[in-house]
Amino acid sequence: MIIALVGEIFYKEPTKIALNCSGVVYEVFVSLNTSNKIQSKVGDTITLLTTHIIREDAQTLYGFLESSEKRLFDTLIKINGVGPKVAMAILSTYTPSSFANVVSNNDIKSMQRVPGIGPKSAGRILVDLSGWSLELASDCAISDDSNLTQVIMALESLGYKGDVINKAIKGLEVGEVGTMVKNALKKIQGL
């Protein structure tokens, strides 16, 4: 499996990039968000994390600058009926953190903004991801805030589910972990 590529940009289009890695040029599909973040020009060296998908008729590479985007892509393609093209459309429409908010709010209208996703597909994707919303939020939206991550783990250990925890931590003032857990528990009691 190819898990990352380090190479010079051979050419770049909005949804794909070709990387020259020691004389072998790989075509890698990227989201519009990733493409916009790549400010390099032809000949510059970049590193892309990749997901390598092997099918009977093709081998394709999907590239990401951030590990959170790669994890979200890998999660999305595991959902029945969501292939790499739909997953890339989602990643082109939303950043991982904004998509975590869509999932935690069960926002079908926002899901339908993604090209190729209708009301039925949007509902199915949100239902399938409802258990993942906490993981998406902790991976994407608050990965750099270790206190909030500790609060989430504490609430999980007390047996609370992802949707309740998401409501409890929304708008929670960051401070000492113990105080944050107490405030989250008070919020849960008020739900």
Side-chain angles (χ1 to χ4, degrees):
M1 283 302 222
I2 300 170
I3 61 167
L5 292 173
V6 178
E8 294 178 356
I9 297 175
F10 190 72
Y11 71 81
K12 180 184 167 203
E13 294 178 8
T15 58
K16 62 184 170 184
I17 190 166
L19 291 182
N20 182 350
C21 303
S22 300
V24 178
V25 180
Y26 294 94
E27 182 179 66
V28 184
F29 294 95
V30 295
S31 69
L32 292 175
N33 289 327
T34 295
S35 184
N36 290 335
K37 288 178 186 172
I38 299 173
Q39 299 298 319
S40 307
K41 58 187 182 303
V42 172
D44 289 349
T45 301
I46 64 166
T47 301
L48 286 178
L49 302 170
T50 60
T51 294
H52 186 193
I53 297 180
I54 301 171
R55 302 246 162 95
E56 281 183 29
D57 58 343
Q59 290 191 38
T60 51
L61 288 167
Y62 296 89
F64 316 94
L65 286 176
E66 299 170 355
S67 59
S68 60
E69 191 177 41
K70 181 184 181 333
R71 281 193 300 269
L72 178 55
F73 177 83
D74 291 341
T75 300
L76 288 169
I77 61 173
K78 290 177 187 169
I79 296 172
N80 190 19
V82 177
K85 287 183 181 177
V86 172
M88 280 308 220
I90 290 170
L91 292 173
S92 292
T93 307
Y94 295 106
T95 64
S97 58
S98 61
F99 187 71
N101 288 332
V102 169
V103 172
S104 66
N105 294 329
N106 203 25
D107 190 348
I108 289 181
K109 293 255 187 246
S110 293
M111 276 299 297
Q112 290 177 302
R113 289 185 190 141
V114 177
I117 295 184
K120 189 176 176 183
S121 298
R124 188 182 69 246
I125 291 168
L126 289 173
V127 166
D128 286 348
L129 285 176
S130 62
W132 291 93
S133 63
L134 178 63
E135 183 180 322
L136 288 171
S138 63
D139 281 353
C140 306
I142 54 173
S143 60
D144 46 321
D145 189 341
S146 60
N147 283 0
L148 203 48
T149 304
Q150 289 180 30
V151 170
I152 291 170
M153 292 189 321
L155 294 173
E156 283 178 335
S157 69
L158 292 171
Y160 292 105
K161 299 290 180 203
D163 56 340
V164 174
I165 294 172
N166 279 333
K167 290 176 185 173
I169 64 171
K170 193 174 274 183
L172 194 63
E173 190 175 318
V174 178
E176 183 193 354
V177 175
T179 306
M180 290 174 70
V181 171
K182 286 178 189 175
N183 291 337
L185 289 171
K186 284 179 188 173
K187 212 168 176 186
I188 290 172
Q189 287 176 345
L191 295 176

